[in-house]
Amino acid sequence: MTDLSLPVRADLALANAMRRVRARWRTRMAVEGAVRVVAVLLCALLIMLAVVAWRGVRPGTIETGRLALWSLGALAVGWWVARPLLRTVDDARLALYLDEQDPAIAQTVLSAVRETRRPLAEQLSPSLTSRLAHSAVGALGRLDDGARVEAPRTRRALQQLGMLLLAAVVGVLLLPAPWRETARAMVLPGDALAVPVRRVSVQPGDVEVARGAGLDIEATASGFLPDAAELVLQADSSADLLRLPMVPDSTGTRFGIRLFDLLRNATYWVEADGIRSGPHQVTVTDLPAVRRLGLELTYPSYTGLSPETIDPGGDIAAVVGTRVRVRAHVTMPVQAGVLRFDDGTTEAMTLDPEGMPMQTFTVTRTGFYTVDLETLRGQVVPGTVRHFIDALPDRAPTVRITAPGRDTKPTAVEEVPVEIRADDDYGIRSLDLVYSVNGGPEQRVTLLNGARPGTVEPRAVHTL
């Protein structure tokens, strides 16, 4: 009975020792796999951030990047972590691995594993098998059940994993806030709307214009501040692209351009810092259009300015109260026209003897206006060009006493010259000096009266 029980106990001891070796091997494989997974995910995140920096954050960019990152992470975990852990490694292969890592144990473990796996009836000597098993257990004990083989590699992998995680944390903290938020949104689930989307929106989008008319195009950048913007035009009958620089406004996010004499259908879009708007279509139709505008400006009488004619014109810069007569030169006969202002008010235009719409309005505020036309069949053709109205305020005049320019105590027989300078944006017509002597009644002296129009900086001297 004793000879039969020894191999069983030796088998159990060897099996338990091999189980501990296998556990340490799996731990080391899992840690090394985690290093590879983290390295791959960090590289992928850096590549995605570089793509975002180049292409910009567009609708769906964050969601697509997050899906790609998670999918890559799942594949990496499955290949480098789950696959080694789920792989079946028998004792014989594990013994060969130990022999490769530590040749000092030679074939001891492998021989013992092969012998103990034989049926008891096929073993040459149970006592020999027991001695082989005990010898293998002793050899594994000298390796601390594989710890001396796996511990250095596991420790090195843990150090690499810690360095990668530390580098990731430091890198994220050093990123500017928008990029930090972008990286967070790609890695973690949540609302991607917190990341500003870089887009370019265009007005008026798809539009119909009359043949020969002009068109105002505006582009607005959101989520970034572009250095410049270009309008790209492609005529339907041509493969060539025409690039036109757009003019920025004071905010740096809005750009505008005006096209003239449109004769063919075209596709257009706007590009700014590599961000491209969607394409839009300009459809040219055979409808009446405004070829040019003629303006007659009648300024308020107090300005002393003569009436002014501007032809061709459009944009208006005039003092409040100026009367402006607008005459639209059209490409074909029309039934009527309408001046349409940006506040929603309109002024019906009448036809002059030449059939050109005209109307007069008073400048009261800063804004825009367009000219809508009505065809002979009653179809309304909206204006596609917005003209700017700059209502200039009439500033109050300023008056300065330039001499003597300070308090003074003259004697009773001393003469004191008083010099006065005035300034006004449209002219000074009269200038009076008001004074009192020793607290007496006020006295008034007229220094300038009925000056010619346009006298904007009069100078007068009165001697007391």
Side-chain angles (χ1 to χ4, degrees):
M1 296 295 296
T2 303
D3 290 340
L4 293 177
S5 62
L6 284 174
V8 175
R9 289 196 297 270
D11 287 351
L12 292 176
L14 180 59
N16 290 333
M18 294 301 290
R19 188 178 300 111
R20 291 189 292 272
V21 172
R22 186 179 291 104
R24 290 187 169 90
W25 176 83
R26 292 186 189 278
T27 300
R28 190 260 304 170
M29 292 293 292
V31 176
E32 290 182 344
V35 172
R36 295 186 179 95
V37 170
V38 173
V40 167
L41 291 180
L42 288 179
C43 291
L45 182 60
L46 289 176
I47 293 173
M48 291 180 183
L49 290 178
V51 172
V52 168
W54 174 50
R55 299 276 296 174
V57 181
R58 305 185 181 190
T61 297
I62 299 301
E63 291 81 357
T64 303
R66 182 189 299 161
L67 179 61
L69 198 64
W70 287 6
S71 300
L72 181 62
L75 291 174
V77 170
W79 183 259
W80 282 310
V81 179
R83 187 175 65 92
L85 294 180
L86 297 176
R87 187 172 61 187
T88 300
V89 180
D90 59 16
D91 290 348
R93 293 187 61 184
L94 197 60
L96 287 173
Y97 165 74
L98 291 175
D99 284 345
E100 292 174 359
Q101 299 300 319
D102 191 342
I105 66 174
Q107 295 291 319
T108 303
V109 178
L110 182 60
S111 299
V113 168
R114 288 175 176 174
E115 187 64 27
T116 55
R117 290 175 61 182
R118 292 181 181 181
L120 188 61
E122 297 181 5
Q123 295 178 6
L124 298 176
S125 170
S127 59
L128 177 62
T129 302
S130 178
R131 286 195 296 271
L132 283 174
H134 282 297
S135 178
V137 170
L140 291 177
R142 289 192 298 274
L143 292 178
D144 195 10
D145 292 341
R148 292 177 56 184
V149 175
E150 304 295 349
R153 298 179 63 180
T154 303
R155 186 165 50 250
R156 185 165 58 250
L158 286 173
Q159 292 173 350
Q160 294 171 350
L161 182 62
M163 293 175 62
L164 284 175
L165 294 176
L166 179 62
V169 172
V170 173
V172 169
L173 293 178
L174 292 179
L175 285 174
W179 294 111
R180 188 163 57 246
E181 186 63 25
T182 302
R184 183 205 64 77
M186 283 188 175
V187 174
L188 302 177
D191 188 7
L193 294 179
V195 180
V197 176
R198 299 178 68 185
R199 60 159 58 93
V200 176
S201 56
V202 177
Q203 292 292 337
D206 295 339
V207 63
E208 288 188 359
V209 299
R211 191 176 306 277
L215 176 64
D216 282 343
I217 297 177
E218 292 185 355
T220 303
S222 57
F224 70 114
L225 193 64
D227 295 329
E230 282 186 332
L231 175 69
V232 184
L233 276 172
Q234 182 179 26
D236 284 355
S237 58
S238 173
D240 297 332
L241 298 180
L242 177 63
R243 295 181 175 272
L244 302 173
M246 302 183 74
V247 180
D249 67 358
S250 58
T251 65
T253 60
R254 294 173 62 89
F255 298 81
I257 191 172
R258 178 172 295 174
L259 304 178
F260 298 95
D261 297 331
L262 293 171
L263 300 176
R264 294 186 295 173
N265 296 341
T267 301
Y268 75 94
W269 62 88
V270 174
E271 295 180 359
D273 284 3
I275 305 301
R276 174 175 167 174
S277 72
H280 298 284
Q281 187 69 29
V282 177
T283 304
V284 177
T285 58
D286 290 321
L287 293 173
V290 177
R291 178 179 292 110
R292 75 176 194 276
L293 291 179
L295 304 177
E296 293 183 12
L297 282 65
T298 303
Y299 300 101
S301 59
Y302 68 83
T303 63
L305 299 177
S306 302
E308 183 179 5
T309 299
I310 305 175
D311 192 355
D315 294 340
I316 300 168
V319 65
V320 172
T322 299
R323 297 283 292 170
V324 180
R325 190 180 75 163
V326 180
R327 186 170 186 264
H329 299 263
V330 294
T331 58
M332 62 178 62
V334 297
Q335 180 172 289
V338 174
L339 285 179
R340 187 176 303 277
F341 299 92
D342 60 324
D343 62 353
T345 60
T346 59
E347 292 281 352
M349 305 179 74
T350 59
L351 301 182
D352 65 6
E354 298 180 11
M356 301 300 170
M358 59 181 299
Q359 182 54 274
T360 302
F361 70 95
T362 302
V363 175
T364 58
R365 66 176 190 87
T366 296
F368 295 90
Y369 75 97
T370 59
V371 177
D372 299 345
L373 301 176
E374 184 177 343
T375 68
L376 298 179
R377 296 182 178 180
Q379 180 182 355
V380 176
V381 182
T384 54
V385 176
R386 295 196 311 168
H387 301 284
F388 183 58
I389 303 174
D390 188 6
L392 305 176
D394 180 16
R395 297 189 301 271
T398 59
V399 182
R400 305 184 306 278
I401 298 178
T402 56
R406 57 182 175 79
D407 293 342
T408 183
K409 295 182 179 180
T411 63
V413 296
E414 185 177 353
E415 293 182 346
V416 179
V418 179
E419 182 183 39
I420 300 97
R421 291 180 181 271
D423 180 34
D424 185 69
D425 45 3
Y426 291 105
I428 301 294
R429 300 299 299 273
S430 63
L431 182 64
D432 294 346
L433 173 64
V434 181
Y435 68 95
S436 65
V437 179
N438 294 331
E442 288 186 354
Q443 302 182 48
R444 180 180 298 270
V445 177
T446 299
L447 304 178
L448 183 67
N449 189 15
R452 64 180 181 83
T455 305
V456 295
E457 293 184 357
R459 172 182 175 274
V461 178
H462 179 73
T463 301
L464 299 176

